[in-house]
Amino acid sequence: MSKHPFVTLEKAQEIAAQFPTPFHLYDEAGIRRTARALRQAFAWNPGFKEYFAVKATPNPFILRILREEGCGADCSSDTELMLAHAVGFAGEEIMFSSNNTPQADFVRANKLGAIINLDDYTLIESMEQACGVPQTVCCRYNPGGQFAIGNEIMDQPKDAKYGMTREQLTQAYRVLMQKGARHFGLHAFLASNTLTNAYYPTLARILFTVAVELHRETGAHIAFINLSGGIGIAYRPNEEENDISRIGEEVRAAYEGILVPAGMGDVALYTELGRYMLGPHGALITRACHEKHTHKEYIGVDACACNLMRPAMYGAYHHITVLGKEDAPADHVYDVVGSLCENNDKFAIDRPLPRIDRGDLLYIHDTGAHGHSMGYNYNGKLRSAEILLHEDGSVQLIRRAETPADYFATLDFTGLKFE
């Protein structure tokens, strides 16, 4: 596949004239299109619901769009619960998936009527002390070992801090039933950013089989199975995109082959996608402001790793388009860098690109999830604005850029002279 910006140079220039670079820009039309395609792919399951992973893009304007498209919210902290509630999510529209969970977080989740997804067996006691045992509760499963599809190892659940063992699941269901739980969920996340249509169907077969076993062992009513996240996006131009329609049909085949014969054809399916829902529908717009010619060719931009951590943290690839030069030959090789006092502050290393001139606008693709949300303030850098491009072409500031006053707001300057 090829990578195309969802905004033209002219539109980006228009926005940049109003809101200085750098900024994260989101495409409302793309977000709605993806939400509808996901819902259609699982429409065969009457109880299906997508619980958007709030941590991916915790902005109320984004969350409101997703709620309008029928999504719920998956929250991992007290603050995210507050945000989801403020947007209008309520009751079982909220899934609370946390680990090392403070009791205060359980209190808020229970107050909001959220579904609590327990990460560990020992959290049963902690939850009970905090808020009692709700009638509906979910448990997170970690099978351990390696997770493979065919001959390809996808991840190492044995090294993950999340979830319960198979034996702990049975014990947890039994104890929770004794304490008043009546409806149960099952959840697992076994691989991240997968680019294979086989991931969800493979995970589904594992969870469907375990669900049948748990029902037979404990008599528990399993109301839903949460396939969590893990469906990836094509960050590189040569990568194949996942086919959500095909994924939905293959999960359906597993459902009808495992759950229906066991008399469990009423189980609702949930997903918990962040990257898939938002990643391609966000971009970091930054301006080339410096060039350096030493042992390599460098282009300095006004964004840095504080605006997009993934390349520095993971060595992650993000495609870059020089707006207005989409058809120009990529006959220059650059490191595209920010201004942090860290050598890993690079958006691209040895990247073939068209000639970049100072003032050019660069479009860094696929930053809609885990982009702005992972920002930080090292070197006194200020986090950028977030802007929403509406379907009608208008734009809206949905988070202003930070100012020095924001950076200093939590400090106490009593007795100091500060100007």
Side-chain angles (χ1 to χ4, degrees):
M1 61 166 287
S2 56
K3 305 284 284 184
H4 299 287
F6 58 75
V7 67
T8 63
L9 170 63
E10 292 72 25
K11 190 65 177 180
Q13 289 174 328
E14 175 190 323
I15 299 169
Q18 184 177 1
F19 305 108
T21 57
F23 52 79
H24 284 269
L25 182 66
Y26 304 99
D27 177 27
E28 179 184 1
I31 295 168
R32 292 188 185 276
R33 187 167 57 247
T34 294
R36 292 169 188 175
L38 174 66
R39 188 172 69 246
Q40 181 60 37
F42 286 89
W44 55 267
N45 182 261
F48 173 76
K49 196 171 190 68
E50 155 64 9
Y51 285 85
F52 175 71
V54 174
K55 60 181 171 286
T57 319
N59 188 293
F61 293 87
I62 300 297
L63 296 180
R64 186 175 295 125
I65 290 171
L66 292 168
R67 187 165 187 264
E68 289 172 357
E69 294 296 337
C71 298
D74 180 84
C75 301
S76 61
S77 68
D78 186 56
T79 311
E80 289 184 358
L81 286 167
M82 294 170 65
L83 178 58
H85 177 60
V87 170
F89 292 98
E92 294 191 355
E93 290 182 324
I94 304 172
M95 182 78 63
F96 180 56
S97 301
S98 177
N99 66 94
N100 294 328
T101 308
Q103 288 193 340
D105 290 19
F106 282 133
V107 172
R108 188 178 301 276
N110 183 67
K111 181 179 178 181
L112 296 179
I115 300 171
I116 294 176
N117 181 19
L118 290 173
D119 177 70
D120 181 44
Y121 177 79
T122 65
L123 289 175
I124 296 174
E125 181 180 1
S126 181
M127 176 183 68
E128 183 179 26
Q129 291 173 352
C131 63
V133 174
Q135 288 204 343
T136 299
V137 65
C138 184
C139 292
R140 184 167 183 169
Y141 175 45
N142 182 335
Q146 295 176 329
F147 175 68
I149 297 177
N151 295 321
E152 182 180 359
I153 296 173
M154 305 296 292
D155 217 327
Q156 304 281 348
K158 65 183 177 61
D159 296 326
K161 69 174 183 175
Y162 309 107
M164 306 182 199
T165 67
R166 176 63 185 82
E167 294 75 17
Q168 287 173 334
L169 277 179
T170 300
Q171 189 177 4
Y173 272 42
R174 285 175 173 159
V175 168
L176 286 164
M177 289 175 70
Q178 291 170 2
K179 294 179 180 294
R182 294 292 176 263
H183 311 288
F184 289 83
L186 181 63
H187 169 283
F189 181 93
L190 301 186
S192 178
N193 195 38
T194 61
L195 281 178
T196 168
N197 293 324
Y199 171 61
Y200 253 18
T202 302
L203 174 63
R205 285 190 288 272
I206 293 171
L207 288 179
F208 295 168
T209 300
V210 171
V212 171
E213 293 171 354
L214 286 168
H215 174 65
R216 290 173 178 169
E217 291 167 4
T218 67
H221 171 236
I222 298 180
F224 65 87
I225 293 173
N226 188 338
L227 298 174
S228 68
I231 296 180
I233 62 174
Y235 283 102
R236 296 175 182 269
N238 60 346
E239 292 175 331
E240 267 308 303
E241 289 185 320
N242 282 303
D243 182 343
I244 197 64
S245 177
R246 177 179 166 188
I247 290 170
E249 281 305 305
E250 291 187 11
V251 171
R252 180 179 189 169
Y255 188 100
E256 293 176 348
I258 299 171
L259 291 178
V260 172
M264 298 172 65
D266 62 340
V267 174
L269 294 186
Y270 298 159
T271 56
E272 180 193 302
L273 296 164
R275 188 193 319 262
Y276 178 79
M277 298 294 289
L278 255 293
H281 309 308
L284 176 59
I285 309 296
T286 182
R287 192 179 297 277
C289 56
H290 183 247
E291 55 186 280
K292 184 174 181 178
H293 316 285
T294 55
H295 305 291
K296 304 181 77 171
E297 293 294 303
Y298 295 94
I299 291 295
V301 296
D302 57 8
C304 67
C306 293
N307 305 111
L308 179 63
M309 182 194 289
R310 298 185 70 257
M313 187 176 185
Y314 305 120
Y317 180 95
H318 280 264
H319 198 61
I320 296 176
T321 294
V322 185
L323 290 175
K325 299 182 179 180
E326 290 86 348
D327 298 324
D331 53 3
H332 289 62
V333 176
Y334 297 113
D335 281 14
V336 179
V337 303
S339 58
L340 286 187
C341 298
E342 295 291 337
N343 198 45
N344 66 351
D345 181 21
K346 298 181 177 181
F347 295 112
I349 298 174
D350 296 329
R351 183 77 60 88
L353 290 164
R355 173 185 169 83
I356 298 175
D357 299 299
R358 294 185 191 186
D360 280 348
L361 288 175
L362 276 60
Y363 177 107
I364 302 179
H365 292 251
D366 303 317
T367 71
H370 311 291
H372 190 281
S373 64
M374 295 178 74
Y376 55 105
N377 289 119
Y378 182 57
N379 276 188
K381 296 296 185 181
L382 304 176
R383 296 175 69 187
S384 63
E386 292 182 294
I387 298 167
L388 180 61
L389 175 64
H390 287 294
E391 292 178 291
D392 64 4
S394 64
V395 295
Q396 180 180 6
L397 182 68
I398 60 173
R399 188 193 302 267
R400 65 166 174 80
E402 288 183 339
T403 67
D406 297 314
Y407 181 78
F408 294 129
T410 55
L411 296 173
D412 184 354
F413 288 101
T414 303
L416 298 175
K417 184 178 180 181
F418 180 72
E419 296 179 357

